[in-house]
Amino acid sequence: MSFVGSPEIIQENDTIILYLGFDRMLSTKVKRGETFQTKYGALKFDDLIGQRFGTKITCKDGFPHRTQILYSTDISFILLQLEIRPGSIVVEAGTGSGSMSHALIRAVHPTGRLYTFDFHEARANQARQEFKDHKVDSWVSAAHGDVCKDGFPLPEGVKANAAFLDLPAPWEAIPKVKSVLQWGARVCSFSPCLEQVQRASETFRQHGFEDLQTFECLSRHFDIKTIRMNDQTSQEKSEISFKSIVPYAQIPGHTGFLTFATLNPL
């Protein structure tokens, strides 16, 4: 594709602009047989070839069983509340896409370790391969397993400083995770629904956890714009301009509720 021409039809190896929203545009190259993942689903390049530039395309389902990622606003707050630092031992239930896992690995590096578990075997295997590809596998152990049923099989004598639960029914894992935590350890449960929060909170209290708090992290962005107006105080036609801080019309919506608890040392 020539950048000085104006072709009408998308062809293989063309560079295209994907418009995913008013604040999200990406440049990529069309390659036959490949798929581009977006938050709306999977965009197959084969579906683009032969279409006119500017065509609206409906995305298909994304990666099978790959979960929604956590974003930086939630991740940074979780790391702060769990008091994770280099040398920490952390357990994670629900590896999913691995976005939270990577953040945890970076936080415990170079002397700590993450033990992460996922119920779905293919997802666990894919995450394990990604850790290896990203050269962080020296600080993480990724395993397939049902922690709600079988618990967290850590090496003998190992106790965790913190735990992160991203599960549909976190209350089933709370008794299991308690057995692998040090006294005073912090736990975070990530749930999209308040009904999950309520039941998890009740289970935390039943098993000796204290300092329960639930948060929702929302990030609002502002932009600095130049505002121009006609000067009504002047008899002559003139224009005045000034800088103003304007909030974005849309902000990222709800991702989930973060419930934190501390294992009572008494």
Side-chain angles (χ1 to χ4, degrees):
M1 175 184 179
S2 172
F3 275 41
V4 297
S6 300
E8 295 185 358
I9 304 300
I10 300 174
Q11 299 179 8
E12 186 176 5
N13 295 320
D14 278 354
T15 298
I16 61 172
I17 301 296
L18 297 178
Y19 181 85
L20 303 177
F22 74 97
D23 61 345
R24 185 66 169 165
M25 290 184 288
L26 301 172
S27 172
T28 187
K29 180 173 288 189
V30 177
K31 295 182 179 180
R32 190 179 300 275
E34 293 191 3
T35 301
F36 187 89
Q37 296 292 331
T38 77
K39 66 179 182 180
Y40 302 109
L43 179 64
K44 295 184 177 181
F45 286 140
D46 287 358
D47 295 339
L48 295 179
I49 297 174
Q51 299 284 350
R52 295 177 63 88
F53 280 94
T55 300
K56 182 177 180 180
I57 302 294
T58 301
C59 295
K60 305 295 196 310
D61 292 336
F63 286 126
H65 302 291
R66 291 293 274 185
T67 59
Q68 177 182 347
I69 68 170
L70 271 75
Y71 294 98
S72 57
T73 304
D74 289 320
I75 290 174
S76 58
F77 191 69
I78 292 168
L79 296 177
L80 174 68
Q81 287 290 326
L82 293 185
E83 301 176 359
I84 296 175
R85 55 190 180 275
S88 293
I89 303 297
V90 184
V91 293
E92 178 188 29
T95 310
S97 63
S99 66
M100 187 66 205
S101 304
H102 280 79
L104 292 169
I105 294 168
R106 290 195 298 268
V108 304
H109 173 272
T111 55
R113 192 166 190 85
L114 170 67
Y115 295 89
T116 182
F117 303 87
D118 201 286
F119 176 79
H120 194 272
E121 186 174 7
R123 198 156 55 210
N125 292 337
Q126 184 171 353
R128 190 182 299 112
Q129 183 60 47
E130 288 177 354
F131 296 146
K132 185 176 180 180
D133 293 342
H134 300 163
K135 300 186 183 341
V136 296
D137 52 311
S138 296
W139 301 278
V140 58
S141 297
H144 163 238
D146 184 357
V147 297
C148 297
K149 179 181 177 181
D150 303 321
F152 297 79
L154 301 187
E156 185 177 356
V158 174
K159 291 284 187 177
N161 310 108
F164 177 70
L165 308 177
D166 186 0
L167 301 168
W171 51 88
E172 295 181 358
I174 290 172
K176 303 292 186 181
V177 76
K178 178 182 177 180
S179 65
V180 299
L181 294 177
Q182 299 178 6
W183 293 113
R186 296 275 285 165
V187 181
C188 174
S189 175
F190 177 86
S191 300
C193 303
L194 279 173
E195 291 80 5
Q196 295 168 300
V197 172
Q198 181 177 2
R199 190 165 177 182
S201 298
E202 293 172 350
T203 307
F204 273 127
R205 292 191 179 95
Q206 292 169 3
H207 288 83
F209 288 85
E210 294 185 345
D211 301 329
L212 267 72
Q213 290 181 300
T214 298
F215 300 89
E216 180 184 29
C217 298
L218 297 176
S219 179
R220 189 175 190 185
H221 298 270
F222 290 80
D223 194 13
I224 299 177
K225 292 186 176 181
T226 300
I227 307 298
R228 292 182 171 83
M229 301 176 60
N230 292 326
D231 186 358
Q232 302 295 332
T233 63
S234 175
Q235 295 181 353
E236 299 180 358
K237 290 185 178 181
S238 61
E239 185 181 76
I240 58 175
S241 63
F242 56 91
K243 300 291 185 180
S244 178
I245 299 177
V246 181
Y248 282 9
Q250 298 180 11
I251 64 172
H254 170 77
T255 56
F257 297 104
L258 304 174
T259 300
F260 297 92
T262 304
L263 183 58
N264 187 355
L266 301 178

